[in-house]
Amino acid sequence: MLAAVSPLPWYVAGPLIGLLVPILLLVGGRTFGVSANLRHACAAIPLPQGAKPSFLRYDWRTTGAWNLIFALGIGVGGFVGLRLLSDPSAPLALAPETAAALAGMGITDLTGFVPSQLISWSALATPAGALLVIGGGFLVGFGARWAGGCTSGHAITGLATLQVPSLVAVGGFFAGGLLVVHVLLPFLLAP
C-alpha cells in the first residue's frame, strides 16, 4: 500500500512519461497532447453540423475520441490519487523557504491540495483571485491554442521530436512562469 500512495521518484516517472511519446507515436500513430481536447469536446456536442462553426465540423470520433478518453483517464487518475490514495487534509509538502516566501505574501493555509487563499470560491470573489483564476485560465487556454499545443504537447512531444517551435514555446512557458512567480504574484498579493 505504501508504494501506491508514495509518488514515483523522478528517475522512474520521467522516463515512463518520456517513453509514452514514442510508444504512442509508433504503436498508435498519435501525438501526445491534451489541449486539443477542448476542440474535440466542443465538436462532440450533439448539434446539427450547420449550427457548428467550421472549426468544429470534423469527425471527432476518429481523430479525437482516444484523446478524450485519455483526458478522462487523467481526471479519474487525479481523483483516485487525491481522494483514495492520499490524505486531502495533509499539508502541502513544501520546502521551508517556499513556505516562508508564501507566508510573506499572506499565503499561510497550506492544508489540502492547493492553498485555499489562492484557489477557492472565496478567493475567486476577490479582484486578485478572479484575475489569477479566470484571467490565468483564459491565457493558458488561449495560449495553448495559439501556440498549437499546451505545455505537455510542446515540452514532451515537441522536444522529443526535436521541433524548434516547441523549444521556443517551452522557453516561453518557463519565462512566463518565472515572471508570474517573481513579479506578478507578489504584486497581486501585496497587502
Side-chain angles (χ1 to χ4, degrees):
M1 185 66 183
L2 183 60
V5 297
S6 300
L8 294 174
W10 64 267
Y11 51 85
V12 174
L16 286 176
I17 293 171
L19 286 173
L20 174 68
V21 174
I23 290 171
L24 187 63
L25 190 60
L26 294 173
V27 175
R30 313 231 185 238
T31 56
F32 178 81
V34 177
S35 64
N37 278 312
L38 178 60
R39 182 182 182 205
H40 299 318
C42 291
I45 294 173
L47 291 173
Q49 288 296 318
K52 295 180 181 179
S54 60
F55 182 67
L56 300 177
R57 288 186 218 143
Y58 65 96
D59 184 9
W60 65 269
R61 289 177 185 85
T62 303
T63 59
W66 74 273
N67 210 345
L68 287 169
I69 294 170
F70 177 76
L72 180 65
I74 292 172
V76 170
F79 177 81
V80 169
L82 182 64
R83 295 292 178 194
L84 304 178
L85 299 177
S86 68
D87 179 8
S89 64
L92 291 173
L94 295 175
E97 296 83 6
T98 302
L102 288 172
M105 291 186 278
I107 307 298
T108 55
D109 181 9
L110 301 178
T111 59
F113 188 62
V114 294
S116 63
Q117 292 154 319
L118 290 176
I119 310 291
S120 66
W121 289 113
S122 60
L124 187 60
T126 65
L131 182 63
L132 286 171
V133 174
I134 298 172
F138 173 78
L139 288 175
V140 167
F142 178 78
R145 294 315 310 151
W146 191 31
C150 61
T151 51
S152 61
H154 281 295
I156 298 173
T157 301
L159 292 182
T161 56
L162 306 177
Q163 301 295 317
V164 173
S166 291
L167 180 62
V168 173
V170 170
F173 299 148
F174 277 101
L178 290 172
L179 182 69
V180 168
V181 167
H182 294 289
V183 177
L184 187 60
L185 191 61
F187 174 75
L188 289 175
L189 299 179

